[in-house]
Amino acid sequence: MEKKDNLRKRFVTYFNPVNWQKKTKIITTITIAILIAAFILSFFVPTYDDFVTQTSPTMQEEIQKDKDRKNKQVLQSYNNLFIISYASFSTEGYYAEKDEYIGFAGQIYDASEGFTGFVGEMVNYTYRLLGCGENILHGAKLTIFLTITSVFFGFILSIFLALGKMSKIKLISKPCSAYVFFFRGTPLMIQLFAIYFMVPGIFKFSWTALTGDVYWGAFLAALIAFTLNSAAYCAEIVRAAIQSIDKGQTEAAKVLGLNYRLTMSKIIIPQSIKRMIPPICNEFVMVLKDASLVFAISLMDITTISKTIVSDGSYLVFIPALIIYLIITAFFTYIFNKVEKKFSVYE
Amino acid sequence: MSMIKTENLCKSFGSLEVLKNCSLSIEKGEVVCLIGPSGAGKSTYLRSLNHLETINSGKLWIMDQLVDDRHNGHNKAILSPKQRNELMLDMGMVFQRFNLFPHLTVLDNLTLAPINVKNMKKEDAVNLALELLQKVGLSDKADAYPSKLSGGQQQRVAIARALAMQPKMMLFDEPTSALDPELVGEVLQVMKNLADDGMTMIVVTHEMGFAKEVADRVVFMYQGEILEVDSPDVLFNNPKHEKTKNFLNSVLNI
């Protein structure tokens, strides 16, 4: 325990700017300044016409012709990254041309190869990952929302499961154990399929009719599957935390005349919550990543969107996808650490 | 009226017999000290009085009411769980390892049970708690967390917590064994004051000085049996049993 605390102390000292060397401070300040400057400059996007003047003469010609054509042959996208491609089929064969430019701070750079090419692709994928669908940050929003709700409800359910599992009455403890055994012993993917496809089939209803919307129907099914699954994992965490509380606490409560409900709610659970936080954080991060499984029922989360983009042949899309996951994980780990500190006032 | 009366109390953990036919009766206002070598069953006897351990056979009366009448674990006593719990509330208990609730302040430790179990009003409970804290000399620690207190202070808070339920008798399970030697005195002083106030007390202890000075009767236990019950003068100066002599020699002549 002490060793762990020392490690954390060193970690905290290391990341506290007050203790940094002058050199580190300067480098960090400059990096942050550059990032802020880049962010501001990225708003100065060259106009569409500026991009067009940069393209090759044949492409310009095709763009001109395309205005009058019924069947458009020029494909284009326009944001910070300007991608324009032309494809035509004729008796002479297949002809294709693709031009890519990146506009930054009012300047236009060739993005077909080299470093600017790589940067351009990253910008494009990130934009498409986060801005896909009718919402901005659509995928990330879905993932975060699904994770928070399912772990929250799963945790509440798990307290009852854990207490049930520890019950001396076999009629209560056996079903609770069976529940935990079942949901920990089968793949989450199949549980998701079972709830999305099988349950409506057996009970003759449909998720879409229930919520009035295809998307929310799938979301509700996913939410239920994830809640039930994480409840099983959290139940073990809660049980371990409750059993780690000194037996003397229960005895003291009993001697004071507190009944089971009061002992649990006033004495044991408040004390065990602090011990639950690190493993619950772990479980949270697991669910966050497992949430990518919803692509199996066509919910548009980060994974599903990157999967659709990769089908264009843009395999580098997984780099921004991974980075978005990392950022979300880092953010929630930070929050959980704060919460843990808050709960340790009395120690 | 006897506060506690036991008749042929027996308790075993598996094949190990911890209590063998323990019979004892404790009157109102009496201070009884249980002494004996470790493993003699002193703590188990005390814990079986307030049902922290369930006895296998024997009879137990609390305030002249038959609570336990067991044969091979089966209870014949006719007493509703509610009545039984009410009787149990008349017994306060202090543990060797304090067992304060670490997530609550000292004041909350004292008021939790009166408010939730006795349905006392919050102001009344707080007033009572502050009064008791003054009695144990810790009025300035009301808002501290137990972890910020010394062992002796924690044990005094534990005594106050037990008293907050206004019990008719107090059970002490080796209250000074987990303390540093210099902190033992303050806890014993609180217990002495309590005895002077006329509280019925049963104390499992290794503090022979305390037993000599405060106890009305001293009980010597050896291997699960009550060997000798006598006033401290007689038991410490003229013990009848060889075992008692050996024990007192080993404890007193270090």
Side-chain angles (χ1 to χ4, degrees):
Chain A
M1 198 63 199
E2 239 170 53
K3 216 174 181 183
K4 210 177 152 192
D5 278 352
N6 278 339
L7 200 70
R8 185 194 284 169
K9 230 175 243 170
R10 253 164 60 196
F11 192 76
V12 170
T13 349
Y14 184 76
F15 281 96
N16 189 352
V18 179
N19 304 315
W20 284 355
Q21 286 182 353
K22 212 175 177 186
K23 215 167 153 191
T24 330
K25 272 184 193 169
I26 292 168
I27 293 172
T28 319
T29 322
I30 291 172
T31 320
I32 292 171
I34 289 174
L35 283 175
I36 292 173
F39 180 71
I40 293 167
L41 287 175
S42 68
F43 283 103
F44 298 98
V45 185
T47 58
Y48 175 76
D49 293 332
D50 288 341
F51 276 117
V52 172
T53 50
Q54 295 288 320
T55 52
S56 60
T58 36
M59 186 65 95
Q60 286 190 23
E61 208 173 290
E62 291 302 329
I63 292 170
Q64 275 304 322
K65 277 191 206 164
D66 213 40
K67 280 180 182 166
D68 308 324
R69 274 189 204 131
K70 263 193 183 161
N71 298 324
K72 305 283 184 201
Q73 284 181 317
V74 180
L75 295 167
Q76 44 192 283
S77 72
Y78 168 68
N79 42 61
N80 272 23
L81 185 73
F82 183 77
I83 299 174
I84 188 155
S85 59
Y86 164 71
S88 72
F89 302 90
S90 66
T91 43
E92 290 153 34
Y94 172 71
Y95 172 76
E97 200 177 312
K98 191 179 180 191
D99 279 355
E100 286 176 54
Y101 300 94
I102 179 163
F104 180 72
Q107 297 290 311
I108 295 169
Y109 304 91
D110 185 4
S112 51
E113 56 189 2
F115 176 69
T116 45
F118 181 75
V119 172
E121 282 196 34
M122 286 302 124
V123 171
N124 185 36
Y125 297 147
T126 314
Y127 181 82
R128 285 173 72 184
L129 273 177
L130 299 180
C132 187
E134 65 274 38
N135 290 317
I136 326 163
L137 295 171
H138 191 263
K141 224 167 72 176
L142 175 86
T143 305
I144 292 171
F145 185 55
L146 182 66
T147 310
I148 290 177
T149 6
S150 57
V151 173
F152 177 75
F153 287 121
F155 178 65
I156 290 173
L157 182 58
S158 75
I159 292 178
F160 294 102
L161 273 175
L163 293 178
K165 218 183 153 187
M166 285 186 291
S167 167
K168 278 174 193 152
I169 306 163
K170 276 194 176 165
L171 207 64
I172 298 175
S173 71
K174 290 279 169 188
C176 289
S177 301
Y179 176 94
V180 172
F181 176 70
F182 175 79
F183 278 94
R184 294 206 312 166
T186 50
L188 177 55
M189 181 83 120
I190 298 183
Q191 292 165 17
L192 186 62
F193 280 151
I195 286 173
Y196 188 56
F197 297 115
M198 193 179 81
V199 174
I202 293 173
F203 295 103
K204 305 289 177 222
F205 71 96
S206 94
W207 291 110
T208 314
L210 207 65
T211 53
D213 183 41
V214 180
Y215 174 80
W216 285 110
F219 182 80
L220 185 64
L223 184 62
I224 291 171
F226 279 84
T227 302
L228 294 180
N229 184 272
S230 73
Y233 282 93
C234 288
E236 288 298 285
I237 294 170
V238 172
R239 188 180 59 86
I242 286 176
Q243 283 176 344
S244 77
I245 301 294
D246 183 23
K247 240 188 134 194
Q249 296 287 315
T250 326
E251 287 182 353
K254 191 180 172 189
V255 167
L256 288 172
L258 297 172
N259 58 22
Y260 177 79
R261 192 178 58 79
L262 280 170
T263 308
M264 279 299 162
S265 64
K266 299 268 179 192
I267 310 292
I268 306 297
I269 292 177
Q271 283 184 56
S272 54
I273 278 189
K274 193 194 159 270
R275 301 186 188 185
M276 290 175 202
I277 291 169
I280 289 284
C281 175
N282 198 25
E283 167 65 14
F284 188 89
V285 173
M286 295 290 281
V287 173
L288 183 77
K289 291 174 290 175
D290 284 346
S292 64
L293 285 179
V294 295
F295 91 90
I297 58 171
S298 310
L299 274 176
M300 299 298 271
D301 82 319
I302 300 170
T303 312
T304 322
I305 296 170
S306 52
K307 194 88 195 322
T308 51
I309 295 172
V310 89
S311 59
D312 303 347
S314 324
Y315 49 86
L316 281 177
V317 66
F318 291 116
I319 294 175
L322 292 175
I323 290 172
I324 291 171
Y325 273 115
L326 277 180
I327 290 171
I328 299 172
T329 312
F331 175 70
F332 281 107
T333 314
Y334 174 79
I335 298 265
F336 271 101
N337 281 343
K338 285 270 165 204
V339 175
E340 192 187 346
K341 266 204 192 119
K342 204 160 192 188
F343 269 96
S344 58
V345 255
Y346 59 81
E347 268 176 22
Chain B
M1 184 173 89
S2 67
M3 296 298 266
I4 292 176
K5 194 174 155 196
T6 60
E7 205 176 278
N8 297 329
L9 226 60
C10 292
K11 168 77 186 166
S12 52
F13 294 117
S15 61
L16 181 71
E17 278 188 87
V18 198
L19 294 179
K20 296 171 199 159
N21 296 327
C22 294
S23 300
L24 190 67
S25 172
I26 294 155
E27 302 302 316
K28 193 169 165 34
E30 230 183 353
V31 178
V32 175
C33 281
L34 268 66
I35 61 169
S38 40
K42 311 182 293 291
S43 284
T44 313
Y45 180 74
L46 199 71
R47 288 162 63 84
S48 63
L49 293 182
N50 64 358
H51 287 195
L52 286 179
E53 305 282 356
T54 315
I55 52 169
N56 296 100
S57 66
K59 287 181 182 178
L60 168 65
W61 288 266
I62 292 169
M63 322 266 295
D64 282 335
Q65 294 217 50
L66 186 62
V67 180
D68 265 327
D69 179 10
R70 285 175 190 268
H71 292 280
N72 295 323
H74 185 70
N75 198 355
K76 277 195 213 159
I78 322 152
L79 209 60
S80 73
K82 204 184 161 200
Q83 282 173 309
R84 186 188 313 240
N85 287 341
E86 265 166 22
L87 278 177
M88 290 302 147
L89 288 184
D90 289 334
M91 282 190 284
M93 179 147 180
V94 175
F95 297 88
Q96 183 181 359
R97 303 210 51 86
F98 329 135
N99 293 349
L100 291 176
F101 305 132
H103 62 300
L104 300 175
T105 61
V106 168
L107 193 65
D108 288 339
N109 262 285
L110 263 64
T111 54
L112 178 78
I115 290 174
N116 287 296
V117 179
K118 282 198 154 180
N119 297 322
M120 208 185 263
K121 272 194 201 140
K122 201 179 170 200
E123 313 140 39
D124 296 347
V126 169
N127 286 338
L128 177 66
L130 290 174
E131 200 180 296
L132 287 168
L133 280 178
Q134 198 175 9
K135 206 169 168 184
V136 299
L138 289 170
S139 359
D140 53 332
K141 300 286 183 193
D143 295 322
Y145 281 98
S147 56
K148 297 281 180 285
L149 304 179
S150 73
Q153 288 171 333
Q154 287 191 44
Q155 193 60 295
R156 284 189 279 157
V157 172
I159 293 173
R161 181 178 68 177
L163 288 175
M165 289 300 281
Q166 294 164 318
K168 296 199 172 67
M169 59 201 115
M170 289 280 282
L171 313 179
F172 291 86
D173 187 3
E174 304 196 25
T176 55
S177 299
L179 297 178
D180 292 339
E182 77 269 21
L183 302 176
V184 170
E186 56 188 72
V187 174
L188 291 183
Q189 189 56 49
V190 168
M191 287 165 68
K192 258 181 224 167
N193 295 343
L194 204 57
D196 291 342
D197 289 350
M199 176 67 77
T200 313
M201 287 163 64
I202 308 168
V203 188
V204 173
T205 187
H206 291 291
E207 299 290 331
M208 295 307 150
F210 177 81
K212 251 185 214 172
E213 195 182 329
V214 182
D216 296 314
R217 280 191 297 164
V218 178
V219 177
F220 177 73
M221 286 186 79
Y222 187 80
Q223 290 189 348
E225 282 175 280
I226 293 179
L227 281 191
E228 234 181 303
V229 187
D230 231 322
S231 67
D233 279 346
V234 179
L235 194 122
F236 281 110
N237 299 327
N238 298 307
K240 290 186 204 90
H241 273 272
E242 197 62 31
K243 300 273 198 280
T244 320
K245 262 179 216 164
N246 290 344
F247 173 73
L248 289 175
N249 276 336
S250 66
V251 176
L252 295 175
N253 308 325
I254 302 166

